[in-house]
Structures are given as C-alpha cells and as structure tokens.
Amino acid sequence: MEEPLISCCTPHVKQVHGGWQKCHPGHHYGPNFRGTYILHYIKKGKGVFQVKGKSYQLSAGEVFCIFPGVLVYYKADETDPWEYEWIGFASDDLAAFLAARGLSAEVPVFTAKEEFVSALERFLAVYDGEAPAQTLLTARAYDVLHSLTNEKAPQNNAPHGLRYINRAKDYLWYFQHENITVSQLATYLGIDRSYLTALFKKHLGVSPKEYITNLKMNQACRYLLDTEYSISQVANALGYEELFVFSRAFKKVKGVSPSAYRKSMQRENTADET
C-alpha cells in the first residue's frame, strides 16, 4: 500500500520575498492595499497596526499579518520606532492554511515563538545571499509556514529525530519534480548525511535514496494513468534527464517498464468498463 504523502492542508506558494527595515520615528504605510500575504515580525521597538476598523498597539516579539486586498495602515512609534523583519507570499490558497491556524484579517496578530523566529531568520539568510538557489529559498519559506503549524500542533512534542523526518518528507513532496540528492536533503536539514540515513531506516524502513525513488515512481504511476504524457515527458517532469535512468528505476520499483505498466492498467480499465 502506498504511504499517504501529505496529510494536511498544503498551500501552493508561487513566489516569495522578504527583507527587514529599521523605521524612522513616525514612519508609516497606508491606508493602502498589498498584493501578497506578508508576515511582519517586530524585533525591536513599537508601533500601531490598523485593519478592519481595529487598532493594535504592538511591540517586540509580536507578528502582524497582512492579507492581499485588505486595507491596512501601520506606523512606527514616535519615540521608540520599530524594527521588523518580514516575509511575503504570493499564493491563491494561503488564506485557508492561515485560517486553520487561527489567523485572518479579523485576527491578524500573534506572539512569535522561537521556531517561527528561527525559520524566518533562516529564510532571510538565504534570501539576502548572492544568487540564492530557488529550491532552497522556497523550502525555507515553507519552513516559516510549517513553524506556524508546529506552534499549535501536538507534533511539536515529537522526538527530535522524527521532526527531521517530517521536515524531510515535506521537502521531498514539494520538490519531487526536481533532481533531488540525498546530500541536498541533508544540507537543507542541517544534519550529517549518515545521520539522515540512519533516521530514515529507523522511522521509515528505507534509505533516503529509496524513499525519493519510491516517491517519484508513485507519482510516475499517476502520470501514466491520468495523463497522455509520453514516457519521456513523465521522466522529465520528475527530474530525470536520462530516459533510461527513469525506466530502469521504474522497473526496479514496479517490476515492469513504464510502457508495460501503462498498457496493463489501460487493459484493466477497459475490462472494468465492459
């Protein structure tokens, strides 16, 4: 039986951006709209945030959220102006994800916990670097969202090794269509490759390489059944540059070649219809 790949609401993020700002006394924005979701983490100082007819007096350690198309106004304090870091997301379905975590235009403020702050710092470290890898940048952005889940979810009490596994599975799901290596995964998690392999074998019963291959082959089966992609297109869609490498991996996992699998399943479907 195939393992469920993801068991929670996962938003699709199309673009991310971020930065930091040390505001002058009285510096303000608005009233105006933003086109993306933006989370502002206040590192120092104070200010006011206004939305939906409500006014919030905020200080260091708090986060205020901006939702696209919602009129907002925010202003740094005159005597102790705030300094904040921020991350923005362009997404069509992020509102539902945030709402499930108690955040909306009506409830736009929360107190940051350590995991959120650490994830945001890791994102900005990559974002501010020279020519950041898009894969790593997007993964760090998803880490920020994932930290919101962990702040409220019981999984936060999971053993440390299992947390690495959960983060790894999320990362691999998001980037299964790329040529992911075990070394890249270990670097993303910030752990040694041999430790990563030991964790996978302990909790999942397979090596990271085997897990990646199985994940891709399960997705390949869906493409072969539900689309008219050629075998070469399926291979390319899953990050394989060489068709024979994909075909060899598919046959090793599924026992038949991709073309034989497609023909066999088409015959079964035809028989079921009659």
Side-chain angles (χ1 to χ4, degrees):
M1 177 182 293
E2 293 180 8
E3 175 190 3
L5 299 178
I6 276 215
S7 58
C8 62
C9 169
T10 303
H12 173 63
V13 173
K14 296 183 288 187
Q15 187 177 4
V16 296
H17 53 107
W20 67 275
Q21 185 167 357
K22 185 176 183 179
C23 297
H24 298 297
H27 174 80
H28 69 276
Y29 174 85
N32 210 336
F33 304 94
R34 293 291 194 183
T36 58
Y37 298 86
I38 308 176
L39 308 182
H40 292 79
Y41 165 64
I42 305 169
K43 292 193 70 174
K44 299 178 182 178
K46 298 182 294 186
V48 61
F49 175 60
Q50 297 177 354
V51 61
K52 294 281 186 176
K54 295 182 180 179
S55 182
Y56 302 86
Q57 299 291 334
L58 304 176
S59 57
E62 294 183 287
V63 179
F64 62 96
C65 310
I66 294 177
F67 288 74
V70 177
L71 189 68
V72 297
Y73 172 84
Y74 46 103
K75 179 182 177 181
D77 189 76
E78 295 285 356
T79 58
D80 186 15
W82 55 20
E83 176 182 340
Y84 52 67
E85 298 174 336
W86 55 273
I87 180 171
F89 302 88
S91 173
D92 294 328
D93 57 2
L94 188 57
F97 177 89
L98 295 176
R101 283 137 193 91
L103 296 172
S104 65
E106 288 72 26
V107 186
V109 173
F110 66 94
T111 300
K113 294 188 179 180
E114 182 179 351
E115 186 161 8
F116 174 84
V117 177
S118 298
L120 179 58
E121 295 284 356
R122 289 194 299 269
F123 167 79
L124 291 175
V126 175
Y127 188 83
D128 291 338
E130 294 185 11
Q134 189 61 42
T135 299
L136 182 58
L137 184 64
T138 306
R140 291 290 190 243
Y142 273 114
D143 255 1
V144 176
L145 295 178
H146 185 61
S147 73
L148 298 176
T149 301
N150 280 357
E151 286 188 355
K152 295 181 179 294
Q155 292 93 319
N156 195 38
N157 297 322
H160 200 61
L162 192 55
R163 294 188 197 177
Y164 283 126
I165 290 295
N166 291 335
R167 287 182 61 203
K169 289 168 71 175
D170 284 348
Y171 178 91
L172 294 174
W173 169 252
Y174 296 135
F175 301 110
Q176 63 181 288
H177 301 98
E178 300 188 18
N179 184 18
I180 307 167
T181 67
V182 177
S183 295
Q184 286 174 332
L185 179 59
T187 299
Y188 162 69
L189 294 172
I191 60 177
D192 183 76
R193 176 172 174 162
S194 60
Y195 179 52
L196 174 64
T197 298
L199 287 176
F200 262 73
K201 289 185 176 180
K202 175 182 178 180
H203 294 286
L204 302 178
V206 294
S207 69
K209 185 176 181 180
E210 290 172 318
Y211 184 89
I212 293 170
T213 301
N214 290 338
L215 181 68
K216 287 177 177 287
M217 295 308 109
N218 288 340
Q219 187 62 43
C221 288
R222 296 184 179 94
Y223 284 143
L224 292 170
L225 293 177
D226 300 334
T227 75
E228 296 182 356
Y229 289 173
S230 67
I231 305 300
S232 179
Q233 287 173 322
V234 172
N236 290 335
L238 292 168
Y240 288 90
E241 297 179 359
E242 302 289 344
L243 177 59
F244 81 91
V245 175
F246 166 73
S247 297
R248 183 176 59 190
F250 189 95
K251 187 171 184 178
K252 182 177 180 180
V253 173
K254 300 299 179 181
V256 294
S257 68
S259 58
Y261 177 87
R262 171 175 269 172
K263 290 177 182 178
S264 174
M265 296 307 296
Q266 286 175 341
R267 285 196 298 268
E268 287 188 19
N269 290 340
T270 301
D272 290 341
E273 291 175 0
T274 58

